[in-house]
């Protein structure tokens, strides 16, 4: 690993700062427009305090695939023209946005609050973190990881 880092050219390293997305931007903003939709980190950028970034992106993939499959499914022998296909894709993306909006809101808000509480200092905050939050956080964090995408069929 050390050798790889030492041989890496500095101009080939990309670094981006963490960006906090205000949860209300997600609630009132556009997640999809036409046949374009955001997913993954573009939908729910969050601090790494929950460890759910990659998992939520996988959730997005499953939900997005399901929404598009439902939107594009057709009875046997039926043809869909290009205009109709575009409308169906747009509708599938709108459904995806509806299904993922509150989950993403929950994850962004929780990650921010957990990070804030873990990084805060002071006698009162240390007391609360050690005596109260230490009992509350593990169960809450496990519930965040327990999202059910439903049965995966192939």
């Amino acid at each position: 690993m050390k050798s790889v880092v030492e041989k890496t050219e500095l101009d080939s390293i990309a670094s981006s700062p963490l960006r906090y997305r205000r949860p209300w931007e997600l609630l009132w903003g556009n997640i999809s427009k036409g046949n374009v939709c955001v997913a993954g980190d573009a939908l729910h950028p969050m601090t790494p305090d929950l460890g759910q970034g990659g998992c939520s992106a996988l959730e997005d993939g499953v939900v997005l695939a399901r929404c598009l499959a439902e939107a594009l499914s057709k009875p046997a022998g039926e043809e869909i023209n290009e205009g109709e296909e575009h409308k169906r894709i747009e509708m599938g993306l709108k459904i995806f946005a509806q299904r993922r909006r509150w989950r993403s809101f929950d994850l962004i808000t929780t990650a921010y609050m957990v990070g804030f509480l873990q990084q805060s200092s002071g006698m009162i905050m240390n007391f609360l973190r050690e005596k109260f939050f230490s009992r509350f956080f593990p169960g809450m964090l496990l519930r965040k990881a327990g999202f059910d995408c439903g049965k995966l069929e192939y």
Side-chain angles (χ1 to χ4, degrees):
M1 189 66 162
K2 183 178 177 184
S3 171
V4 171
V5 172
E6 289 173 346
K7 292 178 182 178
T8 302
E9 297 291 328
L10 288 178
D11 61 344
S12 67
I13 297 174
S15 176
S16 300
L18 292 175
R19 182 185 178 279
Y20 172 64
R21 181 180 197 160
R22 293 173 194 89
W24 54 86
E25 290 176 6
L26 187 62
L27 292 179
W28 295 303
N30 286 337
I31 295 172
S32 70
K33 185 175 182 180
N35 65 349
V36 177
C37 187
V38 294
D41 286 346
L43 175 58
H44 39 70
M46 62 183 114
T47 59
D49 300 290
L50 291 182
Q52 290 298 306
C55 295
S56 57
L58 290 171
E59 293 171 13
D60 287 348
V62 170
V63 174
L64 179 58
R66 190 172 282 138
C67 290
L68 289 175
E70 290 169 3
L72 293 171
S73 64
K74 59 184 181 193
E78 181 183 319
E79 290 295 320
I80 301 175
N81 64 37
E82 191 174 319
E84 177 65 23
E85 183 178 61
H86 180 79
K87 288 179 185 175
R88 287 181 176 211
I89 290 172
E90 185 175 350
M91 184 54 62
L93 294 177
K94 284 182 181 178
I95 292 169
F96 167 78
Q98 291 170 350
R99 290 183 182 170
R100 294 301 292 166
R101 187 178 306 270
W102 284 104
R103 170 73 171 158
S104 298
F105 174 82
D106 182 29
L107 290 172
I108 293 169
T109 305
T110 304
Y112 178 78
M113 292 305 297
V114 168
F116 176 79
L117 293 171
Q118 288 178 344
Q119 296 171 21
S120 295
S121 59
M123 251 173 48
I124 294 173
M125 187 54 77
N126 289 344
F127 174 79
L128 289 172
R129 187 173 40 244
E130 292 170 14
K131 302 297 182 191
F132 176 70
F133 295 135
S134 63
R135 295 179 187 153
F136 172 71
F137 275 159
M140 180 192 66
L141 297 178
L142 284 173
R143 283 191 298 278
K144 300 296 175 203
F147 182 79
D148 184 8
C149 289
K151 184 177 179 188
L152 300 177
E153 298 179 22
Y154 49 91

